[in-house]
Amino acid sequence: MKIFSASQMRMADEVTIKSEKISSLELMERAASQIFNLLHHRLQGAQIPIHVFCGIGNNGGDGLVISRLLVEHGYNVKTYIVNFSENRSKDFLVNYDRLKEIAKEWPFQIKSEEDFPTVQYQDMVIDSIFGIGLNRPLVPWVTQLIKHINNARCFTLSVDIPSGLYDYKKPDDAEGVIFADVTVTFQLPKLVFFLPQTGGYTKEVEVIDIGLDRNFLHQTPGIAELINKNEVVPLYRSRHKYSHKGTFGHCVLIGGSYGKIGSMVLATKAALKMGAGLATAYVPECGYEVLQTTVPEAMVITDSDDELEEINLDFEPSAVGIGMGLGTDEKTIKAFEEFLKENKAPMVIDADAINCMAKKPELLEHLPLQTIITPHPKELERLIGKWEDDFDKIRKAQEFSAKYRCVLVVKGANSLIIYEDQIYINNSGNPGMATAGSGDVLTGMLTGLLSQGYDPIRAAVLGTYLHGSAGDLIAQKNGFEALIAGDIVNNIGQAYLELFRQPQQQEQKS
Ligand SMILES: NC(=O)C1=CN([C@@H]2O[C@H](COP(=O)(O)OP(=O)(O)OC[C@H]3O[C@@H](n4cnc5c(N)ncnc54)[C@H](O)[C@@H]3O)[C@@H](O)[C@H]2O)[C@H](O)CC1
Ligand SMILES: [K+]
């Protein structure tokens, strides 16, 4: 699913108004009445006090429509106008008059802290103060109002986006943003819902289709793409009946050091489970028996010591995954450098191999085109430097990717796959996956896909999704805490099958 910026959303709005020959007021009515329908369906007329806080722009206009429909259906509603500016939008004003015509009680004006109403824990709040139009710091009393609402800890529904969130930078005051139980957002999800600094402001997101122009939505490239099952199924390549193990390549996993051989076991197994035809593990001597015993399907080549000092392969690999448990010893960096100069196969670079590159940035010049690099936040910082906020992090990652023509998989709650100006946001996975070895499994999985001839961007997107999806299958059975990396490997097959599982159908009455 595409993600648009605020200005692209506005454009979609305008195009729809023109192509459908409707007014912006009608579009507002359509959008906001869908939110009312959701509420009405859930509340079924319940008389809990509902406080609707409206700003003075179009987000406020949406709130006024919701208020009117709630009043018309006999709900117990109080409407407040958060008067932070005199520049009321045209559609706000029309809906303000419409509400005044039917409500017994006129909207209550809030102009300072003295006007704050009492909101109780048992009540409900509709947050329509700011939408995607927020473009400058809030006046202090509005920040206070948001904190006042949050303090009530009552059920809060945000319209389009929690008020106080910008769509292009982190909030000025981390507490000056509505904490929503649910955000009902229009047409397309917003980037802020998936970034670590801003994703936590809403527990749930519901995207509602408000019928914006299909052609425009289809033809306009978004700023990012949200990756769910629908997006990855077309990336999967089915297997031909007459294929043989050579068809799926011979990949090599390179890494390991004394005490860190387990990382190689996980990565090698993961590459095979993803479907690589053959896999060789290249490890220091101390890893030989461990690998031969725990992954009998793999071949093993060893270096002579407890750390890797040279990397000499006697075959041309179809793909390389390097870095798991590797260490950053000078001799290892040298071996890595020599290998990079020789190697032509597609690569995945992880963990200590990333740290080697951070220590010696010249190594980056030798990467094959579209090498996949899989940093966690600390490793990313070593590559691209510190960032101001998540948006700045994305910009810097894009610049890095463009400079070195590499694919970055920025690991996190929603891992980001970045290639030049393209951003893919993975939407599978869960907090149980923040566990030792989870990254080694990902590297093995991506290497397994490259080995089969998937191009690097497809491999990064599909592999990251399947990694999260395998984790989700485990969490459904065992919960988050007991999830360990080896379980992810063992669930790769199920994760593939899950791609093609149809939701259970209810029997149709004839
Ligand atoms: N695009 C769609 O699909 C639809 C959007 N709708 C709703 O419209 C809002 C966006 O409305 P907009 O009027 O552009 O912005 P806001 O209501 O978010 O902001 C209000 C207003 O306030 C000004 N402003 C910004 N920051 C500040 C500040 N710190 N202090 C004071 N004033 C500020 C800003 O210039 C704006 O004019 C969208 O989120 C949807 O809820 C629709 O109704 C349906 C279709
Ligand atoms: K809002």
Side-chain angles (χ1 to χ4, degrees):
M1 201 179 222
K2 275 181 195 177
I3 292 181
F4 277 7
S5 65
S7 58
Q8 287 176 317
M9 283 311 297
R10 230 165 265 130
M11 227 184 291
D13 215 359
E14 283 165 27
V15 170
T16 309
I17 287 165
K18 275 203 196 107
S19 67
E20 281 198 34
K21 300 192 178 57
I22 57 168
S23 63
S24 57
L25 190 66
E26 283 168 300
L27 189 58
M28 182 177 279
E29 187 75 18
R30 190 198 281 178
S33 45
Q34 287 216 47
I35 299 194
F36 163 75
N37 290 340
L38 269 175
L39 280 168
H40 190 34
H41 183 72
R42 291 184 195 174
L43 290 174
Q44 300 280 322
Q47 286 301 302
I48 58 164
I50 304 175
H51 306 267
V52 186
F53 290 91
C54 305
I56 49 71
N58 287 340
N59 196 255
D62 295 332
L64 291 171
V65 174
I66 298 170
S67 266
R68 167 166 39 86
L69 294 169
L70 285 168
V71 172
E72 282 175 349
H73 287 77
Y75 283 94
N76 177 8
V77 189
K78 283 206 158 48
T79 312
Y80 311 93
I81 308 299
V82 187
N83 255 314
F84 51 78
S85 155
E86 289 308 312
N87 297 329
R88 299 173 167 198
S89 80
K90 178 173 80 18
D91 295 339
F92 168 94
L93 287 168
V94 175
N95 278 309
Y96 188 45
D97 288 340
R98 285 185 182 173
L99 177 63
K100 284 200 292 192
E101 272 167 32
I102 61 122
K104 279 195 228 117
E105 212 180 55
W106 279 18
F108 186 79
Q109 307 288 325
I110 305 180
K111 293 185 175 144
S112 70
E113 291 189 38
E114 282 155 33
D115 304 324
F116 290 180
T118 306
V119 181
Q120 310 268 14
Y121 176 67
Q122 305 86 329
D123 302 351
M124 181 171 171
V125 163
I126 310 286
D127 153 39
S128 248
I129 307 173
F130 286 105
I132 53 174
L134 184 73
N135 56 16
R136 51 190 185 274
L138 307 182
V139 289
W141 68 263
V142 178
T143 304
Q144 285 313 115
L145 174 65
I146 286 175
K147 291 181 181 175
H148 175 76
I149 295 171
N150 285 339
N151 278 341
R153 299 189 178 279
C154 66
F155 184 90
T156 301
L157 180 150
S158 284
V159 175
D160 209 19
I161 184 172
S163 296
L165 278 184
Y166 295 102
D167 103 311
Y168 58 95
K169 64 171 184 167
K170 71 170 184 210
D172 304 304
D173 174 349
E175 300 297 316
V177 179
I178 290 287
F179 281 90
D181 291 274
V182 57
T183 298
V184 183
T185 200
F186 296 135
Q187 200 68 50
L188 298 176
K190 313 292 181 274
L191 183 60
V192 280
F193 301 148
F194 307 99
L195 302 179
Q197 284 168 334
T198 47
Y201 289 107
T202 184
K203 287 188 194 147
E204 251 181 78
V205 176
E206 204 153 325
V207 182
I208 52 170
D209 186 343
I210 59 166
L212 295 184
D213 189 87
R214 294 270 151 224
N215 283 335
F216 182 84
L217 295 178
H218 183 68
Q219 284 159 10
T220 311
I223 53 164
E225 175 94 12
L226 184 65
I227 302 298
N228 283 309
K229 188 159 143 174
N230 282 347
E231 284 71 27
V232 291
V233 168
L235 304 183
Y236 172 80
R237 290 167 36 164
S238 53
R239 291 196 159 196
H240 196 271
K241 180 176 172 183
Y242 299 104
S243 44
H244 53 90
K245 67 185 175 196
T247 320
F248 306 115
H250 180 178
C251 62
V252 63
L253 288 304
I254 303 171
S257 51
Y258 187 83
K260 289 185 178 167
I261 296 299
S263 61
M264 284 294 293
V265 172
L266 291 166
T268 309
K269 256 193 200 172
L272 284 165
K273 283 259 189 188
M274 284 301 277
L278 296 163
T280 289
Y282 194 101
V283 287
E285 183 67 36
C286 61
Y288 182 74
E289 283 181 27
V290 181
L291 269 145
Q292 289 288 47
T293 321
T294 53
V295 200
E297 300 85 353
M299 291 167 279
V300 184
I301 305 179
T302 60
D303 189 356
S304 54
D305 208 343
D306 280 351
E307 259 101 39
L308 286 182
E309 294 184 2
E310 55 182 317
I311 304 167
N312 287 323
L313 300 178
D314 55 4
F315 66 98
E316 282 281 323
S318 52
V320 178
I322 187 164
M324 303 67 67
L326 184 70
T328 55
D329 193 86
E330 278 305 316
K331 285 184 194 151
T332 308
I333 297 182
K334 188 92 198 94
F336 181 38
E337 182 171 14
E338 294 304 317
F339 178 72
L340 274 181
K341 285 181 183 163
E342 293 288 307
N343 174 60
K344 300 276 176 295
M347 285 185 98
V348 185
I349 296 189
D350 186 27
D352 275 339
I354 301 177
N355 295 330
C356 289
M357 294 192 305
K359 274 189 167 179
K360 199 165 183 194
E362 311 90 90
L363 299 188
L364 286 159
E365 308 289 343
H366 302 294
L367 300 182
L369 182 68
Q370 298 191 335
T371 289
I372 304 174
I373 309 180
T374 58
H376 60 54
K378 270 280 153 230
E379 289 160 351
L380 182 69
E381 191 183 310
R382 289 180 202 127
L383 290 179
I384 66 171
K386 286 195 188 307
W387 48 82
E388 276 288 301
D389 60 18
D390 290 331
F391 298 90
D392 187 39
K393 173 176 79 181
I394 290 176
R395 270 190 302 274
K396 290 196 161 112
Q398 286 177 315
E399 283 166 18
F400 182 90
S401 163
K403 183 167 176 195
Y404 297 107
R405 312 288 312 273
C406 60
V407 180
L408 284 171
V409 178
V410 179
K411 293 185 285 200
N414 286 100
S415 293
L416 303 175
I417 295 109
I418 294 179
Y419 182 64
E420 302 189 346
D421 59 352
Q422 301 168 41
I423 307 171
Y424 303 88
I425 303 172
N426 183 52
N427 207 20
S428 64
N430 62 74
M433 300 181 74
T435 181
S438 176
D440 304 322
V441 176
L442 177 67
T443 302
M445 291 176 76
L446 302 183
T447 310
L449 287 175
L450 289 180
S451 179
Q452 294 167 76
Y454 279 87
D455 78 61
I457 298 171
R458 281 177 168 230
V461 172
L462 175 60
T464 307
Y465 176 83
L466 287 173
H467 180 253
S469 165
D472 289 341
L473 290 166
I474 305 158
Q476 279 162 22
K477 281 184 270 171
N478 296 348
F480 296 148
E481 286 76 7
L483 195 164
I484 56 171
D487 296 341
I488 305 177
V489 180
N490 292 334
N491 276 272
I492 290 173
Q494 287 304 317
Y496 266 126
L497 290 177
E498 185 67 24
L499 286 181
F500 302 101
R501 207 171 61 90
Q502 299 292 331
Q504 219 168 3
Q505 296 286 323
Q506 216 176 322
E507 197 184 327
Q508 299 290 320
K509 286 213 177 88
S510 54

